[in-house]
């Protein structure tokens, strides 16, 4: 079976729904000793969920979409020629480039989802304290009242920060 992923390559690919190919995801996982499903349709779903998680950070990414009609948040361009685009390790990422770091983030997020992390808590039962007593008194829980925060994986959050925090180069280049 063929993968249904349509990776964005920086050229505003029509119908893009991923940053990484399944080949890239499988190679990344395998190099870390992790085997993922051989069924492309199953892997596609996980890859798209991983991409959805990345896209949820859209309000934090530096720069602006390069193309007005692009589907995904990358590629990114500097905001109004300010130079405030994406810089990684003091190198500015071109406005028609998908940074390798972004592909790696999708691979890492894919592996987390594959391992059972549910970033949106769709499948996780949450219990919320609605009454709490001290000492000989007890706690009372409700399964339907309260607000749940989305799951965070610190290592993935740090990877995403690379695309959000650095805005300009810190080294003067000659």
């Amino acid at each position: 079976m063929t993968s249904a992923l349509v990776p964005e390559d920086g050229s505003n690919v029509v119908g893009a729904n991923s940053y990484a190919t399944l080949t890239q995801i499988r190679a990344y996982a395998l190099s870390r000793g992790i085997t993922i499903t051989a069924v492309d349709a199953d892997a596609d779903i996980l890859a798209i969920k991983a991409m959805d998680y990345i896209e949820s950070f859209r309000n934090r990414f530096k720069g602006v979409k390069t193309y007005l009609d692009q589907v995904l948040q990358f590629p990114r361009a500097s905001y109004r020629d300010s130079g405030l685009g994406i810089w990684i390790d003091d190198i500015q990422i071109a406005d028609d480039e998908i940074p390798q770091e972004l592909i790696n983030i999708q691979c890492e997020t894919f592996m987390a989802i594959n391992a059972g992390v549910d970033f949106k808590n769709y499948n996780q039962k949450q219990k919320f304290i609605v009454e709490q007593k001290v000492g000989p008194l007890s706690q009372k829980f409700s399964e339907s009242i309260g607000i749940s925060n989305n799951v965070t994986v610190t290592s993935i959050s740090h990877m995403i920060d690379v695309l959000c925090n650095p805005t300009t180069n810190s080294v003067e280049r000659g």
Side-chain angles (χ1 to χ4, degrees), residues 19-149:
Y19 294 113
T21 65
L22 276 187
T23 301
Q24 289 171 312
I25 292 170
R26 286 190 170 112
Y28 187 94
L30 188 59
S31 71
R32 287 152 180 81
I34 297 170
T35 304
I36 63 171
T37 180
V39 179
D40 286 353
D42 294 340
D44 286 346
I45 292 168
L46 298 181
I48 291 171
K49 285 181 177 184
M51 186 274 311
D52 286 345
Y53 179 70
I54 294 167
E55 292 288 289
S56 74
F57 291 89
R58 67 184 294 153
N59 64 336
R60 290 184 49 207
F61 294 136
K62 297 303 176 188
V64 295
K65 288 181 175 184
T66 299
Y67 308 99
L68 292 175
D69 63 344
Q70 74 188 56
V71 178
L72 302 178
Q73 291 301 307
F74 283 82
R76 305 288 283 185
S78 294
Y79 181 71
R80 296 186 182 168
D81 298 323
S82 65
L84 298 177
I86 304 288
W87 290 78
I88 299 175
D89 298 331
D90 290 323
I91 298 170
Q92 188 171 19
I93 304 303
D95 63 2
D96 62 351
E97 181 180 352
I98 300 301
Q100 183 61 48
E101 290 80 0
L102 181 60
I103 294 168
N104 293 349
I105 292 166
Q106 186 172 3
C107 295
E108 284 285 337
T109 306
F110 178 103
M111 292 187 315
I113 294 169
N114 188 58
V117 175
D118 183 357
F119 286 102
K120 295 192 177 193
N121 289 330
Y122 288 145
N123 298 319
Q124 295 177 359
K125 290 279 187 185
Q126 303 291 325
K127 290 187 177 182
F128 304 97
I129 299 173
V130 292
E131 182 179 324
Q132 182 176 17
K133 298 179 182 180
V134 180
L137 307 173
S138 63
Q139 295 179 333
K140 187 176 181 182
F141 293 91
S142 168
E143 291 191 19
S144 61
I145 298 175
I147 298 172
S148 171
N149 292 328

